[in-house]
Amino acid sequence: MSPTPDATDAWMRRIRPHADASVRLVCFPHAGGSATYYHPLAHSLARIPGAEVLAVQYPGRQDRRREPFVDSVPLLADHVTAALNPLADRPLVLFGHSMGATLAYEVAHRLRARRPESEPRWLLVSGRRAPSRFREGTVHLRTDAQLVEELRRVGGTDPAFLDDPELLDTILPVIRNDYRAIESYRWTPAPPLTCPVTVLVGAQDPQTTLDEAAAWREHTSGPFALRDFPGGHFYLDVHRQGVADALSQALERVARPMETLGGNGR
């Protein structure tokens, strides 16, 4: 069944719209995150002619707060792929941080399965080990107090939220759901992507070692690059311009003629 425009609008937020985009950047938030997280990053991007920037809005938060959560990465990927399908008439570049990295990877495979020519032109992932590298996760099973302690440890959440009981009541169910989704995820072996993959990671990230980040190389037959930044899991909040530079370089390459991607151009 083809997705309706309403379905696409429900899942996608156009942070930097472009009526006649030549390339679309789609950003996938982390566990507990929302589309608005990417507003500062979008504004830090170099002005790439013809580039449109979108972010995925998961249900159960912000303007979708009354919708039921989705606690499965594969099911989320199915929904996002259906919503993206009408937008795949232009080259896509996918970027995801943490849980969003795994979700972007799954969406890339689903887009390719629908139409090989719809495989994203570039996949950029941040703060997440390769799908083939498994760690047991139990954060979603912890008490509220233990979950707050974990959020303080990894950063990325405004301390004002963590110190306010009323605000905590609104965000903890979202975060617990998303941790359940990513901690229950199991990679299904699949042929590697053919698009370039760029991995960004904090050198002191407790959730992703450099070896685990480098293992993303196994998931593409195309060009691969790994860049580490000083900092932990939310290094990108401090090094936003460095992340924006990596995204801008990918968008520029995709916006050029196909031969600029070497033997991988499509």
Side-chain angles (χ1 to χ4, degrees), residues 28-31 38 58 95-105 125 182:
F28 294 72
H30 55 278
Y38 285 114
Y58 309 140
F95 172 66
H97 177 64
S98 196
M99 181 184 82
T102 302
L103 181 56
Y105 164 82
V125 292
I182 192 59

Side-chain angles (χ1 to χ4, degrees), residues 14-60:
R14 285 178 164 85
I15 300 177
R16 204 174 79 194
H18 196 293
D20 191 26
S22 58
V23 58
R24 291 186 170 112
L25 171 65
V26 183
C27 302
F28 294 72
H30 55 278
S34 60
T36 55
Y37 177 77
Y38 285 114
H39 280 220
L41 180 61
H43 293 310
S44 297
L45 288 171
R47 301 300 297 183
I48 309 300
E52 182 172 43
V53 182
L54 306 97
V56 180
Q57 184 75 306
Y58 309 140

Side-chain angles (χ1 to χ4, degrees), residues 21-250:
S22 58
V23 58
R24 291 186 170 112
L25 171 65
V26 183
C27 302
F28 294 72
H30 55 278
S34 60
T36 55
Y37 177 77
Y38 285 114
H39 280 220
L41 180 61
H43 293 310
S44 297
L45 288 171
R47 301 300 297 183
I48 309 300
E52 182 172 43
V53 182
L54 306 97
V56 180
Q57 184 75 306
Y58 309 140
R61 66 214 70 201
Q62 292 187 335
D63 57 334
R64 302 189 72 186
R65 63 187 178 277
R66 292 186 174 86
E67 299 179 41
F69 296 133
V70 177
D71 63 358
S72 160
V73 168
L75 185 54
L76 273 172
D78 290 343
H79 284 300
V80 174
T81 303
L84 268 182
N85 200 48
L87 303 176
D89 60 328
R90 310 297 167 86
L92 297 176
V93 173
L94 306 186
F95 172 66
H97 177 64
S98 196
M99 181 184 82
T102 302
L103 181 56
Y105 164 82
E106 289 289 335
V107 169
H109 274 281
R110 283 161 172 75
L111 286 169
R112 181 174 70 175
R114 289 189 172 207
R115 291 191 304 272
E117 63 272 19
S118 294
E119 180 180 339
R121 298 294 179 87
W122 212 295
L123 174 65
L124 297 100
V125 292
S126 166
R128 186 68 187 173
R129 55 191 173 273
S132 54
R133 296 300 185 267
F134 175 72
R135 285 195 204 181
E136 191 71 41
T138 60
V139 174
H140 73 281
L141 299 174
R142 298 179 189 177
T143 66
D144 286 354
Q146 291 169 332
L147 185 52
V148 170
E149 182 180 344
E150 175 68 12
L151 296 177
R152 293 189 192 278
R153 185 177 76 92
V154 299
T157 305
D158 189 337
F161 281 74
L162 302 180
D163 295 330
D164 187 315
E166 291 186 7
L167 290 176
L168 272 180
D169 285 345
T170 65
I171 67 171
L172 283 185
V174 177
I175 294 169
R176 189 180 299 281
N177 171 83
D178 291 357
Y179 267 97
R180 181 182 299 111
I182 192 59
E183 290 180 341
S184 64
Y185 170 80
R186 301 293 183 271
W187 176 61
T188 300
L193 298 168
T194 63
C195 65
V197 171
T198 297
V199 181
L200 311 175
V201 65
Q204 292 79 42
D205 188 342
Q207 297 190 4
T208 306
T209 68
L210 291 179
D211 284 345
E212 289 172 326
W216 278 96
R217 184 187 300 274
E218 303 166 9
H219 295 282
T220 183
S221 61
F224 176 84
L226 171 64
R227 181 177 176 185
D228 64 291
F229 295 82
H233 191 58
F234 281 93
Y235 73 91
L236 67 174
D237 290 342
V238 177
H239 300 283
R240 184 178 298 138
Q241 191 56 55
V243 175
D245 289 345
L247 291 171
S248 295
Q249 290 167 15

